[in-house]
Amino acid sequence: MNYQQTFDSTVRDPAAFWLDQARGLDWFVPPRTGLSTDAQGVSRWFADGVLNTAHLALDVHVTAGNGERTALIYDSPVTGARASYSYRALRDAVALCSGMLRDLGVGKGDRVLLYMPMIPEAVIAMLACARLGAVHCVVFGGFAAHELAVRIDDCAPKVVLSASCGIEVDRVIPYQPILSQALKAARHRPERCVILQRPQCAAPLHHPRDLDWHEQLAAARPADCVPVAATDPLYILYTSGTTGKPKGIVRDNGGHAVAMGYSMATIYNMAPGEVFWAASDVGWVVGHSYIVYGPLISGCTTVLYEGKPVRTPDAGAFWRVVAEYGVKALFAAPTAFRAIRKEDPEASLAARHDLSSLQYLFLAGERLDPPTYQWLAAHLGRPVLDHWWQTETGWAIAANPIGIEAFATRPGSATLPVPGFDVHILDDNGAPLGPHQKGNICVKLPLPPGCLATVWNNHPRYEAGYMARFPGYYLTGDGGYRDEDGYLFVMGRTDDVINVAGHRLSTGEMEEVVAAHPAVAECVVIGIADGLRGQVPLALAVLKDGMVMEETALEAEVVLMVREQVGALACLRQVLMVRRLPKTRSGKILRAILRKLADGEGFEVPSTIDDPTVLDEIRGDFARRGIGPGA
């Protein structure tokens, strides 16, 4: 079937379509029911099926005679360490780690919190939890103690697995002090904390609950896979919420496994034995889906990279990894390539490596601005494929489905809805909008397999946040439009739409224009309070390395570009040159913090920020231009 036939079949009879996809997995008890409704009125997939996700990711391949195929490649330029695991070796390591957890009293349904860096033991621990039917909750290594405590209280783990330290380029971050502070602040008391000692920094294990990873592992015996229901939770992953309390997104076992297998073939065109690299972190949803579960369920080789796109040691780091391991598809956030472009604008470092294995470059996590897209396409000469998804969905809502049918790309567009995601653009009253009309991006229910089932310990929040506003639809929280051919353009969060003198304008649209200036490496446009117009846009721009330009000249040129391409009603008058932008560790620009800083509103420095000192720099830039309370 071509794309349209496939998509139509998911809309016409989703239960039959996904039940057919599920038959490709090795179930303990194959499901006979595709779609059903649980006691809370939520659509659930394969409710009568029984399986184990770790079995699908590891044991299946060993049993099929592929045990010596490479499953995991670990590359750590920050430590110089490298390792490779076959499917058999990884299965054995996971089974032993499961035995360690079992000896600590962990069983089906128990939660285990992971607070670990990008090391093989993090992947092993995730799969070990899945093997036991336990629910893992991975918290990004280095998160602040308060945020860690909040997650400990919410998911109530029986055991915490951690490491003595993480490494950020050339900086060692001891984890034990952070973890100890979090445990003191938390109301819930985990029974045990198992600490992996890294040679870069040893952690003191003084508390009776603290155990040494290697000692516990040496005393353990391998554990078998525990059968679980398809609807049993596989993991909880916290994402930031507008209330300040993180939301624990719950992913089930059965729907997730089907979605991972389907997406690896449909979206990424990957086959068993091929090398896939998601340059992310296991603390984020990309790491869960496409460092760990997706590639392994599909029998691929996955790359675990402990480093940055630049400064480890240079802006050619990504190209080195691609060449060394024969990566077929690379998946990263646009911010990674903006950082590479900033330091290596002519992509001269890429030319030093043999990139013949690389067939596709996938980007997601934030809007792929057209200048970054064009830079990549021009210098790599390979398909640059934007796709759009969320922590909540666990896989792409919209993409170029190259595993079914490849479409021409359009800069700024994530291409077409993936089969299973029936995307509609609705106005604020719920009425459908036509081509090029901007509105709320929603997905008609039922959501396909793999999407969130609820919010941990707070189902009313799930209903209020995602389902209540437009009955019968999932509210993504993003705004955008579809063109006359159905291509989807995601313009950003709906709260990134500003109101200038009664005109609703997308800051994302203005960012495209600013980013197109030849001197600009990356930028952000925010709306700030204005007594006359309600809000006006403000642009912050970072110049490419080696570029010299007066701020007044840049401002004049950018203002003219926005006037010509968006219109005078945009009222962009101020452009600030800044050294860097505040971002999360995953590379997302902290737009809401910038707005509050400019408008003089109070805010808490988020635990996800990569470097808090950047806020002081921005505050000084604002004061220099008469913006904000410090002016």
Side-chain angles (χ1 to χ4, degrees):
M1 291 192 293
N2 63 20
Y3 164 79
Q4 194 59 55
Q5 291 169 328
T6 305
F7 183 86
D8 290 346
S9 66
T10 66
V11 173
R12 183 174 58 251
D13 193 347
F17 178 88
W18 291 111
L19 195 58
D20 187 53
Q21 298 301 317
R23 293 190 181 101
L25 298 180
D26 187 30
W27 297 78
F28 297 154
V29 178
R32 291 175 295 175
T33 302
L35 185 64
S36 58
T37 303
D38 67 13
Q40 298 185 101
V42 177
S43 296
R44 304 302 299 269
W45 291 99
F46 321 119
D48 57 347
V50 177
L51 76 167
N52 181 281
T53 298
H55 168 79
L56 297 175
L58 299 171
D59 300 68
V60 164
H61 307 302
V62 176
T63 303
N66 296 314
E68 303 316 308
R69 177 187 293 163
T70 302
L72 176 69
I73 295 170
Y74 169 57
D75 187 293
S76 174
V78 297
T79 65
R82 299 186 186 194
S84 179
Y85 293 76
S86 68
Y87 268 94
R88 187 184 310 280
L90 188 58
R91 189 273 313 267
D92 292 347
V94 167
L96 192 61
C97 186
S98 295
M100 177 182 77
L101 290 170
R102 180 190 57 194
D103 292 346
L104 295 175
V106 174
K108 180 179 175 181
D110 289 330
R111 274 80 61 208
V112 177
L113 186 138
L114 278 63
Y115 184 65
M116 302 185 75
M118 285 286 285
I119 54 178
E121 287 83 359
V123 175
I124 290 166
M126 292 169 70
L127 290 162
C129 292
R131 192 174 187 86
L132 290 177
V135 182
H136 64 68
C137 173
V138 182
V139 178
F140 184 91
F143 248 31
H146 170 72
E147 296 296 327
L148 183 56
V150 168
R151 287 155 174 78
I152 289 171
D153 280 337
D154 195 61
C155 75
K158 179 170 281 190
V159 170
V160 173
L161 301 178
S162 188
S164 58
C165 67
I167 302 166
E168 291 285 327
V169 186
D170 56 359
R171 183 166 57 104
V172 175
I173 303 173
Y175 283 1
Q176 187 72 347
I178 302 172
L179 178 58
S180 296
Q181 187 180 346
L183 291 168
K184 287 179 182 177
R187 297 183 302 276
H188 174 77
R189 294 285 181 263
E191 294 177 11
R192 296 291 187 182
C193 293
V194 186
I195 310 298
L196 176 74
Q197 299 284 14
R198 301 190 76 187
Q200 293 78 16
C201 174
L205 305 181
H206 297 317
H207 197 283
R209 70 168 170 254
D210 294 341
L211 302 171
D212 180 272
W213 181 293
H214 291 298
E215 291 178 3
Q216 295 302 306
L217 209 59
R221 295 293 179 267
D224 292 330
C225 293
V226 174
V228 299
T231 52
D232 284 341
L234 171 66
Y235 68 76
I236 302 165
L237 183 60
Y238 287 92
T239 183
S240 300
T242 55
T243 65
K245 181 183 179 183
K247 294 176 289 189
I249 301 303
V250 178
R251 194 87 63 217
D252 67 13
N253 274 272
H256 171 259
V258 172
M260 290 300 95
Y262 182 77
S263 64
M264 285 296 292
T266 298
I267 297 170
Y268 305 108
N269 198 28
M270 296 296 296
E274 295 178 330
V275 183
F276 188 83
W277 178 25
S280 181
D281 190 285
V282 292
W284 311 126
V285 69
V286 174
H288 281 56
S289 293
Y290 297 114
I291 294 176
V292 183
Y293 292 111
L296 296 178
I297 287 173
S298 300
C300 297
T301 298
T302 185
V303 177
L304 181 76
Y305 176 76
E306 188 183 21
K308 298 291 185 183
V310 296
R311 294 194 296 144
T312 53
D314 55 34
F318 274 21
W319 315 129
R320 189 268 302 171
V321 172
V322 168
E324 214 162 295
Y325 304 118
V327 173
K328 175 185 176 181
L330 168 58
F331 176 176
T335 190
F337 292 105
R338 284 196 290 268
I340 293 170
R341 177 186 173 211
K342 181 176 182 291
E343 294 196 8
D344 184 21
E346 300 304 318
S348 59
L349 294 174
R352 299 179 186 178
H353 298 279
D354 178 6
L355 303 182
S356 57
S357 67
L358 187 64
Q359 295 184 25
Y360 307 109
L361 188 60
F362 294 93
L363 293 101
E366 57 182 326
R367 288 188 67 250
L368 172 56
D369 55 291
T372 301
Y373 165 83
Q374 289 156 0
W375 182 82
L376 285 166
H379 288 287
L380 291 183
R382 289 162 176 79
V384 178
L385 303 170
D386 188 13
H387 61 322
W388 168 64
W389 50 300
Q390 302 176 317
T391 300
E392 289 85 348
T393 62
W395 60 299
I397 301 170
N400 196 329
I402 55 174
I404 303 175
E405 182 180 356
F407 290 86
T409 57
R410 297 181 183 177
S413 174
T415 314
L416 299 169
V418 171
F421 289 95
D422 188 6
V423 173
H424 293 252
I425 310 298
L426 306 179
D427 69 14
D428 288 342
N429 296 314
L433 295 172
H436 295 281
Q437 292 184 297
K438 297 172 186 174
N440 301 283
I441 305 176
C442 300
V443 181
K444 191 172 183 180
L445 300 180
L447 292 172
C451 297
L452 78 166
T454 186
V455 171
W456 184 258
N457 282 337
N458 199 342
H459 190 72
R461 190 176 185 185
Y462 164 86
E463 293 288 347
Y466 302 107
M467 303 298 175
R469 185 174 179 191
F470 301 114
Y473 292 88
Y474 164 79
L475 176 65
T476 69
D478 281 287
Y481 65 92
R482 298 182 73 178
D483 67 12
E484 62 280 358
D485 296 318
Y487 278 60
L488 179 66
F489 292 78
V490 182
M491 303 308 294
R493 303 297 292 173
T494 50
D495 57 6
D496 285 334
V497 173
I498 62 174
N499 195 314
V500 180
H503 299 284
R504 287 172 58 82
L505 300 172
S506 165
T507 56
E509 188 175 9
M510 284 181 262
E511 283 177 13
E512 287 187 11
V513 179
V514 180
H517 190 284
V520 174
E522 60 180 342
C523 67
V524 63
V525 175
I526 59 172
I528 62 174
D530 180 79
L532 179 61
R533 298 179 179 86
Q535 283 182 301
V536 292
L538 169 69
L540 285 73
V542 178
L543 297 188
K544 295 174 183 174
D545 280 11
M547 185 67 66
V548 177
M549 190 172 189
E550 290 293 329
E551 187 174 62
T552 53
L554 177 69
E555 184 172 71
E557 293 175 14
V558 167
V559 167
L560 181 59
M561 290 168 65
V562 171
R563 176 183 286 270
E564 290 176 344
Q565 297 180 48
V566 179
L569 57 84
C571 293
L572 180 69
R573 298 286 185 271
Q574 288 185 300
V575 179
L576 274 65
M577 282 183 0
V578 297
R579 191 172 70 88
R580 53 186 179 148
L581 296 170
K583 298 178 181 179
T584 65
R585 291 186 179 90
S586 64
K588 293 182 180 178
I589 298 170
L590 293 165
R591 290 171 169 81
I593 295 296
L594 286 171
R595 284 194 298 268
K596 291 177 180 179
L597 192 62
D599 289 341
E601 299 178 13
F603 62 87
E604 289 187 13
V605 178
S607 62
T608 54
I609 192 168
D610 188 42
D611 183 354
T613 63
V614 68
L615 296 178
D616 293 327
E617 294 178 16
I618 297 293
R619 188 178 283 109
D621 289 318
F622 283 170
R624 172 174 57 81
R625 293 295 299 272
I627 298 167

